Amino acid sequence: MVADKFSELQKAVGPEITRTDLVPAFQSLLKDTEAEVRAIAANKVKDFCLNLDKPHQESIIMTYILPCVKELVADPNQHVKSALASVIMGLSPILGRHNTIEHLLPLFLAQLKDECPEVRLNIISNLDCVNEVIGIQQLSQSLLPAIVELAEDSKWRVRSAIIEYMPLLAGQLGQEFFDEKLNALCMTWLMDHVFAIREAATLNLRKLVDQFGAEWAENTIIPKVLAMSRDQNYLYRMTCLFCINVLAEACGSDISTRLLLPTVLTMANDKVANVRFNVAKTLQKIAPQLDQSVIQPQVKPVLDKLNVDVDVDVKYSASEAIAGIAGKLLTI
């Protein structure tokens, strides 16, 4: 297909024929009646612009290519929009800071709010291209509010989509920026009224620890997670346990034994049976991460107590946990 080979064609015919003949032809491909053609052409926008001769590059893009790109941002076909979103951020280094802020940022904002998840993902995946051109401050002033708006959207599926992108966003923007602008948002999700969001936010913590490390988790995330163990709402106390399940594995033995275990043991006295039920499950889950010296004197007595709980489900969970860590008890 012609659209797929356009970059090679540019190099073959040279800059003059590109300006006189290929630019109009490329415009036609971007406006083609067939969505498949538009998608392939959209995917070549960055390469086509890169191959333009430098003296005329900016003027050709601004006059002939960008108007077509603006139309494609609102294309009715999601494959076209997704193809464009995968390359459009690459125009920033070509057009420079002023043109990016003036002309490209509004397009990025529109794509960040697109109903198609792939379009949003492609924009977030390439934020570093724009960051290098306009700087983190400008980026936070322009695109961050849109991300926060999506993160607080009334539709839980939209919130869930942003949570999935958060580790990627953290990697793109760096730890300092993340802590300042997005950390609080991640903690807010843990107390969302929709279980699926709390669950996704819990898994998100694991990915963030993988990104930034256990020391970061100890100083930034863990104190806030442990504070949830004292929340009035038992659902959030349970979320605390779910977070501990994933954090123990990510943070290792020292943090699990020194910081996480004491909170779990205290929660064994919770007045809600469902919380006590999950305490037993958490103790079984994090046992492999704990220092063996605490299993017999600290973990075992709590499980024994839960094993004679008034609630039958708590007793069952405790007996399962005791059986699950029996190997550890035998080796002590």
Side-chain angles (χ1 to χ4, degrees), residues 215-285:
E215 185 179 346
W216 171 82
E218 179 176 354
N219 296 326
T220 311
I221 294 292
I222 290 176
K224 296 172 184 175
V225 168
L226 299 185
M228 292 172 65
S229 69
R230 301 182 294 275
D231 195 274
Q232 293 291 312
N233 189 325
Y234 84 95
L235 292 174
Y236 303 150
R237 300 200 297 276
M238 283 172 56
T239 300
C240 171
L241 291 169
F242 300 151
C243 290
I244 288 172
N245 289 344
V246 299
L247 287 172
E249 191 175 352
C251 294
S253 176
D254 175 57
I255 288 176
S256 298
T257 305
R258 180 167 47 86
L259 297 177
L260 304 181
L261 178 61
T263 294
V264 181
L265 297 177
T266 300
M267 293 177 74
N269 298 313
D270 199 280
K271 62 185 178 183
V272 176
N274 212 350
V275 174
R276 301 196 302 277
F277 172 85
N278 279 285
V279 164
K281 293 185 73 171
T282 294
L283 288 173
Q284 181 179 359
K285 175 79 174 175

Side-chain angles (χ1 to χ4, degrees), residues 150-195:
L150 289 169
E152 296 172 344
D153 195 276
S154 60
K155 298 183 182 69
W156 72 267
R157 291 185 189 278
V158 175
R159 300 199 299 280
S160 179
I162 289 296
I163 294 172
E164 285 181 31
Y165 304 147
M166 199 52 65
L168 179 62
L169 204 53
Q172 297 274 317
L173 300 176
Q175 182 182 316
E176 186 179 342
F177 182 89
F178 179 84
D179 283 345
E180 184 185 342
K181 305 288 186 180
L182 297 173
N183 193 320
L185 199 58
C186 291
M187 300 311 298
T188 301
W189 283 324
L190 290 172
M191 303 182 85
D192 197 279
H193 66 278
V194 176
F195 173 74

Side-chain angles (χ1 to χ4, degrees), residues 4 11 45 117 136 151 165 187 194 207 270 286 308 315:
D4 201 29
K11 293 172 184 175
V45 163
I136 199 74
Y165 304 147
M187 300 311 298
V194 176
K207 294 172 185 173
D270 199 280
I286 71 172
V308 292
K315 284 197 286 189

